[in-house]
Each structure stands twice: as C-alpha cells, then as structure tokens.
Amino acid sequence: MNSPKSLFASVFLVLLTCTAWGQSLESMPAPGGDPLKLARVYPNPAVDYVSLKLEQPMAKSVTLELHSIIGNNLEVESEVIDDFEVRIRVKDLPSGYYVLDVKLQGMSHSAFKFLKR
C-alpha cells in the first residue's frame, strides 16, 4: 500500500514535470492520445448556436453529424470559426436533447449530448 508521502511525491513529480514543460494538467493529452477527449461543447443548454471547442488546431479536419436523441440524422449549418472552434446553428431545431458526433479522419470519435431550448 502506498504511503501518503509516496503519493504526495508522485503527484508533486507530475506537477513539476508539467510546469517544467510549460503545460498545465488541462492541456496534457488525454490517455491514449485521443485529441477529442479534451474537446467540449458549449453552451449547454443552447438556444441559437452550439460551439465545439478543441484543444488542438484541427477544426478543419473534423467531421460533424448531429442526431436527435432517438438517432435521426439532422442537417445543420456549421462554420469553422478558427483552428480550434466550430460553431453549429441549432436555432431552427425544436427543443430537446441532441447528440453531436465528432470524427477526426477515421482516427478518433467522440459524442457530445446537449440540450436545445
């Protein structure tokens, strides 16, 4: 069993390593190297638009699909804001839950659930 001192030492080393490399824990790659694991969708709930914010500059490389909560594929407008953000228009959708399916050129896949008001 690990003692509190060895646990503290391990955490301290991780923090020291991150600081020495100029990274915060939030900017470290996700386990397994999946860049979409650090992505987030906001605001939630959404009214007019929902944004996909990425931690790496790959907004032009992602493929987006929007599904209703029962799985119907929906056509929506999306706009690449910059290398880190894509904005999806949800203004004309009825209120309810939706799933945004994000794929990165066959390498990675993530799904984000959000509420449209």
Side-chain angles (χ1 to χ4, degrees), residues 52-104:
L52 171 68
K53 186 70 172 181
L54 304 161
E55 291 293 321
Q56 296 180 15
M58 58 188 173
K60 294 176 184 171
S61 303
V62 296
T63 303
L64 304 175
E65 290 181 9
L66 187 65
H67 302 278
S68 66
I69 198 67
I70 61 171
N72 295 335
N73 194 18
L74 304 168
E75 294 291 325
V76 291
E77 295 176 27
S78 64
E79 173 187 13
V80 175
I81 302 299
D82 59 27
D83 289 339
F84 295 91
E85 185 173 358
V86 179
R87 185 169 66 180
I88 301 100
R89 181 185 166 120
V90 297
K91 182 177 184 173
D92 299 328
L93 297 174
S95 296
Y97 285 97
Y98 294 88
V99 176
L100 181 64
D101 193 22
V102 182
K103 296 177 185 172
L104 180 60

